[in-house]
Amino acid sequence: MARDRGARSARWRPTRWGLRRRVTVSFGLVALLLSLVMSAVTWSLVTPSLLREGRAAALAETAVDAGHLDTRLAGGSSLGQRVLADLPRTDATAAMARVGDRWYASAPTLGPDILPAAFVEAVGEQHVATQRVEVDGALYLAVGMPIAGRSTSFVELYDMTGTQGAVRALLVGLTAATAVTVLIGVAVGRYATQVALRPLSRLNTAAADVARGRLGVRLQHGGDPDLVPLTDSFNRTVTALDHRVVADARFATDVSHELRTPLTTMLNSMQVILNREASLPASLREPVALLADELTRFRVLVTDLLEIARYEAGDQLVRERVLVGDLVRRAADGTARRPVTTVAQDAADLVLPLDKRRLERVVANLVRNAETHGGGCAGVEVTRTATGARVTVDDDGPGVAPALRERVFDRFARGPGADSGGVGLGLAIVLRHVDLHGGTVLAQDRPEGGARFVVDLPADPTD
């Protein structure tokens, strides 16, 4: 149960965002916060101002109309609907007047019943009052004021549709501005992360090159004083690593050279003993055979170590124009001790600038790997590609599991067939020699079963 809960918690654990996404989202959130604050401030300042201006204009117009009504009444006109309708109103929708308990209105549809009682009472007590009222879904501003010297209350209604439209347009504009600001913030954040992470991208590329063994890589700070400590530290580290690798490679080269002389002596002595194997007692023949096998493996190990040491020491390619098909045929057939090579018709005359010794070693190691670990070499094929040449080596073994297809090229990597011999350096040497040529080598499945190693060599190499 505890294991199940742990598995579920690991499965549901949230994925941590990368630096680029975090910075971009942060810029977007800051832009959203700033735009919301600015929108709130704008709303709080502009909306009351619009309402105040509308109310002030309505009060001024109502005062003018009330003066006209007072003049009419002073001239002997009797209060009624006609008198109210003839008032020179500007923006007012309707006018109403109250004398005692009786109301008169310029529009029968807008009567005193729409006015709140508190508003009517305030105007009746000779106060100027304003009140927003809603009639059939439309909003009006009611402005009431007394007519001086008369027991008359005068009320005008002003349509607030225009003010509502302005407030609504302001809301839409602020919302759109907020959205645009957030998008700009996200875009700026993304651009800022690209600029800020560009040195890290160069550092990552340089570190990857160093991991592939290219120790001549160095970083440039580009005049940025903030990058000087990082680039100097990286360059010092790579320089120290380069010196260490070269020193180790020279040591391995020296040791390998020193071992070759006694090893050659032991191999020659063993060959003399094997030539006289028939005269040896039966009890010694098996130990001698085992010793001969171990000496052979030791010779392969010393040769491979010497090859690796040359690579680490920066041994350069010696390119010359090579007929690829013939070179592969000699190396493959000679290693397998039987014809195993097929050269496609379009690749029969293919000539590329290659290092003969290294390419022969690549083909020989792949064929030896197939013979030793892959149940025998099933065939070697040379074909022409759009970019150069391809060498394919097939075997009849169990194949290479997908999880091991990159690890098989590591030093001293040994697969399921390790019991059949080998020291685990052959494919590592293949990878390094192919990489020096600017090519690639991949382990794949053979359609008929077994493993397939594919080497692609470019026609236009770049050292």
Side-chain angles (χ1 to χ4, degrees):
M1 292 296 292
R3 182 179 301 175
D4 293 341
R5 285 196 298 270
R8 284 196 298 269
S9 64
R11 187 166 53 250
W12 291 104
R13 185 177 301 165
T15 302
R16 183 175 176 85
W17 283 2
L19 179 60
R20 188 187 303 274
R21 180 177 294 183
R22 293 202 303 271
V23 173
T24 302
V25 172
S26 297
F27 268 81
L29 292 178
V30 170
L32 175 61
L33 179 61
L34 292 177
S35 60
L36 288 177
V37 171
M38 294 301 297
S39 298
V41 172
T42 303
W43 178 266
S44 63
L45 293 177
V46 174
T47 303
S49 177
L50 290 175
L51 296 177
R52 284 196 302 269
E53 290 179 3
R55 182 175 179 273
L59 286 170
E61 292 181 10
T62 302
V64 172
D65 292 342
H68 284 294
L69 179 61
D70 187 26
T71 302
R72 293 281 186 91
L73 294 178
S77 299
S78 59
L79 188 60
Q81 179 178 352
R82 186 178 182 80
V83 173
L84 294 173
D86 290 341
L87 290 175
R89 299 187 311 275
T90 53
D91 293 331
T93 302
M96 292 179 285
R98 178 186 181 186
V99 180
D101 293 332
R102 186 173 180 181
W103 282 92
Y104 299 92
S106 63
T109 56
L110 296 174
D113 55 327
I114 66 173
L115 301 175
F119 173 81
V120 174
E121 182 179 354
V123 177
E125 294 177 353
Q126 303 298 302
H127 296 295
V128 177
T130 59
Q131 179 70 48
R132 280 179 284 183
V133 296
E134 187 174 349
V135 180
D136 297 331
L139 189 64
Y140 294 88
L141 177 64
V143 180
M145 60 179 56
I147 297 178
R150 302 177 187 277
S151 59
T152 302
S153 300
F154 181 65
V155 179
E156 282 190 320
L157 297 177
Y158 295 87
D159 190 356
M160 297 188 69
T161 303
T163 304
Q164 281 185 306
V167 172
R168 194 177 300 112
L170 176 63
L171 179 61
V172 173
L174 292 176
T175 303
T178 300
V180 172
T181 303
V182 171
L183 292 177
I184 293 175
V186 170
V188 171
R190 188 170 184 83
Y191 176 75
T193 55
Q194 289 177 350
V195 174
L197 295 180
R198 196 171 295 157
L200 293 182
S201 299
R202 292 197 295 266
L203 176 61
N204 181 57
T205 302
D209 290 339
V210 172
R212 287 194 294 267
R214 299 172 182 174
L215 300 181
V217 175
R218 296 296 183 270
L219 286 177
Q220 302 295 329
H221 54 73
D224 190 339
D226 295 327
L227 296 179
V228 171
L230 175 64
T231 55
D232 288 348
S233 177
F234 178 85
N235 292 338
R236 284 196 302 269
T237 302
V238 176
T239 301
L241 178 62
D242 190 13
H243 292 164
R244 179 65 179 272
V245 169
V246 170
D248 291 345
R250 287 175 179 171
F251 174 76
T253 303
D254 294 342
V255 171
S256 299
H257 277 296
E258 291 299 325
L259 288 175
R260 293 182 71 175
T261 300
L263 178 61
T264 302
T265 302
M266 286 187 290
L267 287 172
N268 291 335
S269 301
M270 178 57 63
Q271 188 61 47
V272 172
I273 295 174
L274 290 177
N275 291 337
R276 301 179 180 179
E277 183 179 7
S279 61
L280 293 176
S283 60
L284 293 180
R285 292 177 184 177
E286 183 176 358
V288 168
L290 292 176
L291 182 59
D293 291 340
E294 291 302 319
L295 282 176
T296 302
R297 291 187 60 201
F298 187 44
R299 178 182 59 82
V300 172
L301 173 61
V302 171
T303 304
D304 288 345
L305 285 175
L306 183 59
E307 197 72 29
I308 290 288
R310 287 175 177 173
Y311 174 85
E312 298 294 354
D315 191 17
Q316 299 298 315
L317 293 177
V318 180
R319 292 186 183 274
E320 55 184 296
R321 299 186 62 79
V322 175
L323 191 61
V324 179
D326 286 353
L327 185 146
V328 172
R329 188 189 304 276
R330 287 197 306 271
D333 294 355
T335 303
R337 297 182 181 180
R338 66 183 186 280
V340 294
T341 306
T342 302
V343 180
Q345 185 175 359
D346 60 348
D349 57 350
L350 179 60
V351 177
L352 296 180
L354 302 170
D355 188 314
K356 291 177 60 176
R357 182 185 66 81
R358 294 182 189 271
L359 184 57
E360 288 176 349
R361 191 65 187 275
V362 166
V363 176
N365 282 9
L366 288 175
V367 172
R368 186 177 298 111
N369 180 76
E371 292 285 303
T372 305
H373 306 296
C377 180
V380 178
E381 185 178 13
V382 181
T383 56
R384 181 191 293 265
T385 65
T387 58
R390 171 171 293 176
V391 180
T392 304
V393 179
D394 293 336
D395 64 41
D396 287 322
V400 181
L404 301 177
R405 289 179 184 175
E406 293 185 5
R407 293 177 53 193
V408 294
F409 295 102
D410 294 340
R411 297 179 185 180
F412 301 104
R414 307 185 68 183
D419 291 340
S420 56
V423 294
L425 287 175
L427 294 182
I429 293 173
V430 169
L431 177 63
R432 284 154 177 77
H433 286 348
V434 173
D435 185 66
L436 281 175
H437 283 87
T440 59
V441 55
L442 299 173
Q444 301 175 352
D445 286 331
R446 180 187 175 208
E448 298 82 3
R452 167 172 291 178
F453 288 85
V454 180
V455 177
D456 283 318
L457 300 170
D460 186 17
T462 55
D463 292 338

